[in-house]
Amino acid sequence: MLKINNAQKYYGSLHAINNVSLEINEHDVVTLIGPSGSGKSSLLRLINGLETLDGGTIEYNNQVVDYKNESEVLKLRTEVGFVFQNFNLFNNLNVLDNLILAPMEVLNMSKEDAINKAKEYLKIVDLEDKLEVSPSTLSGGQKQRIAIVRSLMMSPKVLLFDEPTSALDPEMVKEVLGVMADLAKQKVTMIIVTHEMKFAQEVSNKVVFMDKGEVIEVNNPEEFFANPKSDRAKDFLSKVL
């Protein structure tokens, strides 16, 4: 579904992504873990075209993505959704309008269908009573659930999550992770940058450990957390578990 081939990214002299190759299959729930600054978020942004590759290629459905082609990138983003850590909701629009804007503008969905779909998803995340409120009145956990619904409104084939709980108070983390766990049960393909090790253990089927821009280790969560192969992964886990 997604294949990253020898990806490279520099920020000045910083080699942020160093020869990364990775394959994501349909229905995979992949967690990207590692110390801060290891390149996890940069990798997500490269996949979605928010950053430009300095080398290598990214394939989606067996076709190399031409990230210089704006229309191709826009099409990719209709199928590869992005949930940001700081929500990126429009405070000048109410919750409903935040949710129906992109499906109507990009997918040409009728307003009636978009509203019905929004109501269905809001019911699933237990926020159906927030249709007409401003996002500014919501808690962090509520905002992030709305942000997830906004991505789901586009019926994406893949969802990218960039540390979706890092901006939340601890008591709000559980409700957001619960929504993501439910998506995993529904076989939604996800790539998740996270520091939530328990979530990575229980929900993902593939753990990717990164450090200094490199993929150090890829394994299933049972093997990775019980018996990491690299010294860098062992050291990291000793500090976070």
Side-chain angles (χ1 to χ4, degrees), residues 22-205:
L22 193 62
E23 193 161 347
I24 292 92
N25 300 311
E26 190 174 11
H27 307 316
D28 271 349
V29 178
V30 180
T31 44
L32 303 181
I33 68 172
S36 296
S38 57
K40 307 180 298 296
S41 294
S42 293
L43 186 59
L44 282 196
R45 294 174 71 84
L46 286 172
I47 293 171
N48 203 243
L50 294 168
E51 299 284 356
T52 54
L53 282 163
D54 291 321
T57 61
I58 296 175
E59 297 176 35
Y60 176 64
N61 287 341
N62 299 314
Q63 291 191 323
V64 175
V65 180
D66 179 5
Y67 286 98
K68 294 179 181 178
N69 185 325
E70 186 177 347
S71 64
E72 193 169 325
V73 172
L74 290 175
K75 183 177 183 301
L76 174 77
R77 288 176 182 163
T78 66
E79 298 191 16
V80 181
F82 201 113
V83 179
F84 298 87
Q85 58 180 296
N86 291 317
F87 326 125
N88 285 15
L89 299 173
F90 300 114
N91 286 323
N92 60 318
L93 301 177
N94 66 22
V95 165
L96 179 61
D97 288 339
N98 265 276
L99 298 181
I100 67 175
L101 179 65
M104 291 172 58
E105 293 288 331
V106 179
L107 302 180
N108 295 317
M109 188 182 294
S110 72
K111 187 171 184 178
E112 181 181 3
D113 287 346
I115 290 173
N116 288 336
K117 189 171 185 178
K119 287 179 177 178
E120 286 177 21
Y121 277 127
L122 286 173
K123 189 171 184 179
I124 290 170
V125 300
D126 197 27
L127 290 173
E128 63 266 38
D129 61 333
K130 304 297 184 184
L131 268 177
E132 298 181 5
V133 307
S134 166
S136 62
T137 68
L138 302 176
S139 70
Q142 290 171 331
K143 288 177 183 177
Q144 194 59 289
R145 281 183 282 162
I146 295 297
I148 292 170
V149 168
R150 183 176 60 180
S151 289
L152 291 172
M153 289 288 294
M154 301 294 288
S155 300
K157 303 292 192 298
V158 184
L159 269 180
L160 310 178
F161 292 84
D162 187 11
E163 298 190 42
T165 60
S166 66
L168 304 180
D169 293 332
E171 65 267 24
M172 297 174 183
V173 169
K174 187 176 180 180
E175 62 190 36
V176 172
L177 293 181
V179 171
M180 294 168 64
D182 287 342
L183 293 175
K185 291 175 186 174
Q186 296 167 33
K187 305 296 185 183
V188 176
T189 305
M190 296 187 282
I191 310 172
I192 306 159
V193 174
T194 185
H195 293 292
E196 301 290 340
M197 295 299 111
K198 185 177 179 183
F199 178 84
Q201 286 178 279
E202 295 178 353
V203 178
S204 62
N205 70 302

